Structure formats: structure tokens, C-alpha cells
Amino acid sequence: QEQLVESGGGLVQAGDSLRLSCTTSRRNIRNYGMGWFRQSPGKEREMVVVQTTGATTYYADSVKGRFTISRDEAKNTVSLQMNSLKPEDTAVYYCAATLRYYSDIADYIQKGAYDYWGRGTQVTVSS
């Protein structure tokens, strides 16, 4: 059973940056389509960014230009660099991985596309 472990969350002020990381335990990340999702209290889990094994990437409009996903296959890690953070970015951030291939990047936006999920890491942005 694959395990995803997120790290890097914390409490920051608006305008600050944070870098989240997600590490897989069994397979190298090159095998996975990866996604970062987030969930705020009382809201549904929403897509932040998804990336296929071929590096096609799709960002939510709310984070485009501020967040960047990257992979380090040598470290078996996917990272999410978050800049210019806003209070509305406050949420639990989840890493997700899928072995399934979808021809349309839009399919990776769906939570049901993913086989494995991390436990999440809290990001809190104060105003």
C-alpha cells in the first residue's frame, strides 16, 4: 500500500511563502499523476494543482501565478511552492497520487481520479 506523507505546513502572515512537500513510500513519483488539493472548514475539498506523468499541469484560477508544483525524482518528492499567500488560502492541504492514466487533464481534477491520499498538512494564513 502506497503512503503519501506531506510536510511543510504552518502559520504565516499574508504575503508570506510556504513550501509543502509530499513523499511517496513505495513507487517513485515518476509513476504517478500527482495532485494537491485543499479543504477549508465547511467546504468541499478542492483542486489546487494537478500534474500528469508527462508534466502537463493545471492550476486552479485562485492560485495561478502564485503557486508552483515541482517534482524531484531523486528525492521522490513533489513540492508545492506557495507565494503571496492570502488568508483565503487557509486550509488543510492534501497530496494525492494516481497510477491511472487519463487522456484529458480535466480528469485529473476530479478527486475520484486518485488512488492514494496523504493525511494533510495545515496551512494557516493570518491577515
Side-chain angles (χ1 to χ4, degrees):
Q1 180 76 6
E2 180 64 87
Q3 290 188 344
L4 307 182
V5 178
E6 303 103 334
S7 62
L11 171 62
V12 297
Q13 294 187 332
D16 285 351
S17 298
L18 273 178
R19 187 176 182 87
L20 306 183
S21 295
C22 172
T23 303
T24 58
S25 63
R26 290 195 62 195
R27 294 183 179 88
N28 192 278
I29 56 168
R30 71 171 67 92
N31 298 290
Y32 291 113
M34 300 296 298
W36 285 97
F37 291 75
R38 66 186 181 187
Q39 188 167 18
S40 305
K43 294 186 178 181
E44 289 193 6
R45 194 172 298 188
E46 62 176 5
M47 184 275 297
V48 175
V49 58
V50 296
Q51 188 177 71
T52 69
T53 53
T56 300
T57 305
Y58 183 87
Y59 292 93
D61 288 342
S62 59
V63 306
K64 202 173 295 182
R66 300 188 298 122
F67 290 12
T68 304
I69 189 173
S70 61
R71 298 183 184 226
D72 186 335
E73 292 182 0
K75 295 182 179 179
N76 221 25
T77 298
V78 175
S79 298
L80 182 65
Q81 178 67 39
M82 305 187 295
N83 298 329
S84 302
L85 282 161
K86 304 176 181 180
E88 51 263 44
D89 294 319
T90 295
V92 178
Y93 283 71
Y94 297 91
C95 174
T98 181
L99 288 169
R100 289 171 277 177
Y101 172 76
Y102 303 97
S103 59
D104 190 342
I105 185 68
D107 292 324
Y108 288 89
I109 297 173
Q110 309 305 318
K111 295 186 290 293
Y114 294 87
D115 303 303
Y116 307 107
W117 290 83
R119 291 188 174 184
T121 184
Q122 176 70 46
V123 172
T124 303
V125 184
S126 63
S127 57

